[in-house]
Amino acid sequence: EALIQGGKMVGFDRSTDQGAVNAAGEMEKVVSHTRTSSNAWCIGACEQLPQVQALTARIERVTHIPSSHYESFQVLEYQNNQFYRSHHDSSDRKDDSPAGHRILTFFLYLSDVEEGGAT
C-alpha cells in the first residue's frame, strides 16, 4: 500500500528508455516500445513514508546489502494489455554512483491476478 501511495504522490509517467546522449552529456528519455507501463520513482516524500522505510529495512535484512547500494524503488502501474518485455539492464558507460551498475533486481508484486503476470 505505501509504495502505491508513494507512487501516486510523486506521479506516474509513461515508461521510457534511454536515448542518445545530449549536448549536456545526459541520456535523453524516449518513449519505450518494450514496456508500455507507467512508472514512478519512489523518491523524496515517498522514501520518507514509515512503511517504505520499514520495507527497505526488511529488504536489507533479506539481501544483506545496505540501502546505500540501492536505486530508489521503481513502482510500475499496468492497465489491461500493457506489458514489460524481457530486456537487459546494462550500460557501457562508467557509473561512479554508490549503487553502481545494477547486479540484482528485487521484485515485489503489489497485487494478485487470476492469470498472467509471468515474469
Side-chain angles (χ1 to χ4, degrees), residues 88-108:
H88 295 281
D89 288 326
S90 63
S91 173
D92 58 1
R93 58 189 176 113
K94 186 176 179 183
D95 187 346
D96 291 329
S97 69
H101 287 287
R102 186 181 305 150
I103 60 168
L104 175 73
T105 300
F106 196 102
F107 282 97
L108 300 169

Side-chain angles (χ1 to χ4, degrees), residues 53-67 70 106:
Q53 291 181 347
L55 177 61
T56 300
R58 188 171 180 189
I59 293 171
E60 285 180 313
R61 288 191 303 274
V62 169
T63 62
H64 302 283
I65 299 171
S67 63
Y70 297 179
F106 196 102

